[in-house]
Amino acid sequence: MYKESGGQILAYGITDAGLVRPNNEDALLVWPERRVFAVADGMGGQAAGELASQFFIQTVERVFRDFSPSDLEGVTEAVKRAFLEANREILDHVRENPAREGMGCTAELLAFAGMEFCLGHIGDSRTYLFRAGRLHRLTRDHSLVQEQLEAGILTEEEARRHPMRNVILRALGVKEDLALDLIRGRLQRGDLFLLCSDGLTDMISEELISECLARSFNDLEGIGLSLVEEAKRAGGRDNITVVLVKKE
Ligand code: CA
């Protein structure tokens, strides 16, 4: 559990193994001083999954420690660099440790420059923006069920319960050529970002997420705890990670 504040940004992060998995392959970063926030969800079996998501978080820390960009272009470069270097690192690690073939992670990385933001996204973790009382999903899942959803084959509810919902089409550590989504935009005061792993969104609906955000809008810790609690009440089948970032 982390709680920090840096200037006009408030943030809170929590990760929980859930009720079924023996270990937690998710990782998070809450770094308000550098205005950098991340969630990663590892895959490839216990040790490998944990390692992959940690590689990502450590790479983000290194990139943003060495390089402190002040404008949106610089922040965008740093976000891209973090993804590329983490991808490289995971691929190198697998090459040296072939038993860890299949190791990788999804990742969300949110960084700010003044009143603008840049979000890097790959995989099926998600980032939402709660603005003026409404929840907007900023990211598109790189998953098989998302493609079927867009093709009109599945409904949202069917997608959330689909047995193949964990089939990810893009992730870090899969190939050299990284297809990263970058989402940029302007901030408004009161904007609340939610970065989360699929252990949250597979378990509870966006309506319930929205209710939790609205109910405890001024209490990030309260929101984080209630989201984890709701995901566990719904079964807690996967690791649950939530990072909340609010522009005051
Ligand atoms: Ca997961």
Side-chain angles (χ1 to χ4, degrees), residues 29-98:
L29 175 68
V30 176
W31 197 4
E33 294 77 12
R34 287 284 166 118
R35 286 155 164 63
V36 179
F37 308 91
V39 165
D41 178 349
M43 57 197 200
Q46 281 196 330
E50 281 179 33
L51 210 54
S53 57
Q54 282 162 21
F55 275 162
F56 178 73
I57 298 298
Q58 286 162 8
T59 306
V60 173
E61 286 174 330
R62 190 180 66 235
V63 167
F64 280 86
R65 193 163 42 229
D66 294 348
F67 179 52
S68 191
S70 55
D71 63 357
L72 190 63
E73 288 314 310
V75 165
T76 304
E77 274 317 302
V79 167
K80 280 192 213 164
R81 192 186 300 179
F83 276 84
L84 289 172
E85 288 185 13
N87 190 50
R88 167 92 270 130
E89 219 168 288
I90 297 170
L91 287 169
D92 286 349
H93 181 85
V94 171
R95 198 166 296 125
E96 286 154 25
N97 303 270

Side-chain angles (χ1 to χ4, degrees), residues 75-142:
V75 165
T76 304
E77 274 317 302
V79 167
K80 280 192 213 164
R81 192 186 300 179
F83 276 84
L84 289 172
E85 288 185 13
N87 190 50
R88 167 92 270 130
E89 219 168 288
I90 297 170
L91 287 169
D92 286 349
H93 181 85
V94 171
R95 198 166 296 125
E96 286 154 25
N97 303 270
R100 297 217 166 115
E101 179 74 48
M103 163 178 164
C105 68
T106 73
E108 302 298 303
L109 171 55
L110 176 67
F112 296 109
M115 285 302 284
E116 294 174 298
F117 70 89
C118 175
L119 171 70
H121 159 78
I122 192 161
D124 67 350
S125 295
R126 290 182 185 171
T127 298
Y128 292 92
L129 172 59
F130 190 69
R131 173 179 280 176
R134 289 193 56 192
L135 187 69
H136 308 270
R137 196 195 300 175
L138 298 182
T139 51
R140 178 180 168 273
D141 295 351
H142 300 139

Side-chain angles (χ1 to χ4, degrees), residues 21 25-26 41-42 106 124-125 166 197-200 202 238-240:
R21 303 264 173 108
E25 298 178 24
D26 288 357
D41 178 349
T106 73
D124 67 350
S125 295
N166 295 321
S197 60
D198 65 341
L200 180 75
D202 278 352
D238 195 0
N239 307 143
I240 307 149

